[in-house]
């Protein structure tokens, strides 16, 4: 059975109350439940994690090697700043899907730069919470695990 890590970065624990005009009212708990139920339906294993700390996110990526087959990664603001996360993605050699709830290209210019994009399998941005199930589908299709 394939296994996915869904990894979330800083401030995503505040979804639901954080800038609902941009991110909606859905909480990270809701997103986790949605991912777990979708993964169950698809017959894929799923670990769901969140951290506000860059080094902890690096540790999660390292631990994913040998445990998971692909990573769905909403790195939050670290997307736009973190060479360490880019290097971690390159180092583990797993397919990583960069994910954003909002369309980062329709927002401030500093959000147009992604350190992850050059090392990611692909990017899903602007579809809100639905992006997580789209990313699960994309990961499974990449892994050839979809019927
Ligand atoms: C985000 C977009 C980032 O620019 C921002 O810093 C976030 C959330 C998104 O999901 O839309 O924290 O990754």
């Amino acid at each position: 059975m394939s296994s996915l890590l869904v990894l979330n970065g800083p401030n995503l624990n505040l979804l639901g109350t954080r800038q609902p005009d941009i991110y909606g009212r859905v909480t990270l708990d809701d997103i986790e439940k949605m991912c777990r139920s979708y993964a169950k339906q698809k017959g894929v294993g799923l670990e769901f994690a969140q951290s506000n700390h860059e080094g902890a996110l690096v540790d999660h990526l390292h631990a994913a090697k040998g445990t998971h087959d692909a990573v769905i990664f909403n790195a939050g603001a670290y997307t736009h700043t973190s060479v360490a996360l880019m290097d971690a993605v390159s180092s583990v050699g797993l397919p990583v899907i960069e994910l954003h709830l909002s369309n980062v290209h329709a927002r401030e210019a500093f959000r147009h730069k992604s350190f992850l994009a050059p090392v990611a399998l692909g990017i899903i941005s602007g579809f809100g919470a639905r992006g997580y199930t789209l990313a699960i589908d994309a990961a499974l299709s990449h892994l050839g695990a979809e019927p």
Side-chain angles (χ1 to χ4, degrees), residues 70-121:
V71 180
I72 294 162
F73 192 15
N74 186 346
Y78 289 141
T79 306
H80 318 299
T81 62
S82 180
V83 176
L85 289 175
M86 175 181 72
D87 284 350
V89 168
S90 301
S91 303
V92 299
L94 285 169
V96 173
I97 297 174
E98 177 183 334
L99 172 67
H100 303 285
L101 293 145
S102 63
N103 176 356
V104 288
H105 293 283
R107 300 181 62 192
E108 303 95 322
F110 66 83
R111 295 184 205 276
H112 301 175
K113 165 78 184 168
S114 167
F115 281 89
L116 301 180
V119 293
L121 174 66

Side-chain angles (χ1 to χ4, degrees), residues 24-104:
R25 293 265 173 213
V26 66
T27 66
L28 195 61
D29 232 42
D30 296 331
I31 291 175
E32 177 172 357
K33 286 191 185 109
M34 183 182 73
C35 287
R36 287 198 185 284
S37 126
Y38 197 66
K40 197 170 172 191
Q41 194 184 312
K42 295 281 173 182
V44 60
L46 186 129
E47 179 187 349
F48 196 93
Q50 188 273 333
S51 177
N52 292 319
H53 305 280
E54 190 176 13
L57 294 167
V58 170
D59 289 342
H60 276 293
L61 289 167
H62 289 183
K65 190 178 164 70
T67 308
H68 299 291
D69 301 296
V71 180
I72 294 162
F73 192 15
N74 186 346
Y78 289 141
T79 306
H80 318 299
T81 62
S82 180
V83 176
L85 289 175
M86 175 181 72
D87 284 350
V89 168
S90 301
S91 303
V92 299
L94 285 169
V96 173
I97 297 174
E98 177 183 334
L99 172 67
H100 303 285
L101 293 145
S102 63
N103 176 356
V104 288

